[in-house]
Amino acid sequence: MTVRKLTRMLATTVTATAMAVVGVVTATSAPAVTAAAAAVPPNDTLAWDGYEWERLGSGGGHQGVYRTENVRVKDNGDLVITAMRHCTSGSLTGSDEPHPEPCANPSNTKYSIGRLNLFGVVPSGQDFTLKFVATMPQRHSAGARSALWANNVDRFPGVGYCGAESTSPLGEIDVIEWYSAKPHQTTQSTHAGCITTGDGQHELSTTTDKGTQAFDPAERTTFTATKRGSTVTYRVNGVRVARHVCGTDPEPNNDFTCAEIMSRPWNVIMQTEVFEGPAGDGKFDGPSRRERFPTQRLVVHDVSITTMAAGAASVDD
């Protein structure tokens, strides 16, 4: 069994084009935010908690736009990932300040979000336990979600994440999806395989065993997921809340077997998100432009990725 975990370090920001787990880097303090923040490269590298993460500064999803400014390391070493409202008539930049109050002109409403990627940290064919210690945002608002999760989609262009009119050997493990509008609930889920619908949009062929547990988002909470073969087990503060076995009710699409999906290399993602609009049940409703959108601060205290040979015994089973 291998613990892919190095000594905690403070943030060091450099421009990079490839991701790798590297040796210990030390710094005396986190990088300062300057007036030149808008000139930060779209994506950069953030060394935090023993890993080299890709910090996104462009693109996004739903209403949110990724900014490197939305991922920062505090003096105590904690990582903070934010989602914010801004009021601007132009494109969102790194120097735009948060504006929790409704914008005078609703068409000027913009949202920024943060995301970190760690590519290929779990090698092909290995099992693993992924653990996050985190505190969820304290000021709640409809439309915001924080997520700590893993997928096994290839990093490079051309593969995509369940791209329209394509299939993908997707595996996804949502260690914690936290919806700000439902602050006392945790959600864990597993997805395997992709299919397309007639309108060209994708959907997951397996969405199973969503475990929900009441908890206090103000408290530091430990979320874990252990993958052994085609089985994923989820725990919150050591208590099992969900388990999924790929290939059972429903089965993934026929293009890939569970073994092919679940044995691919895995990536780790930490992010905030702001949804676009209603989806029917309130969970994916967008924020109201007539109400405050307090800055959402996801605080991650620690990440640990423990890999093990496929089929090895695990105390998390």
Side-chain angles (χ1 to χ4, degrees), residues 15 38-45 54-59 66-69:
T15 301
V40 171
N43 295 351
D44 62 16
T45 300
E54 179 191 51
R55 177 169 55 173
L56 298 194
S58 62
Y66 294 129
R67 299 193 314 168
T68 55
E69 290 76 17

Side-chain angles (χ1 to χ4, degrees), residues 16-20 45 155:
T17 58
M19 296 293 98
T45 300
R155 175 188 180 195

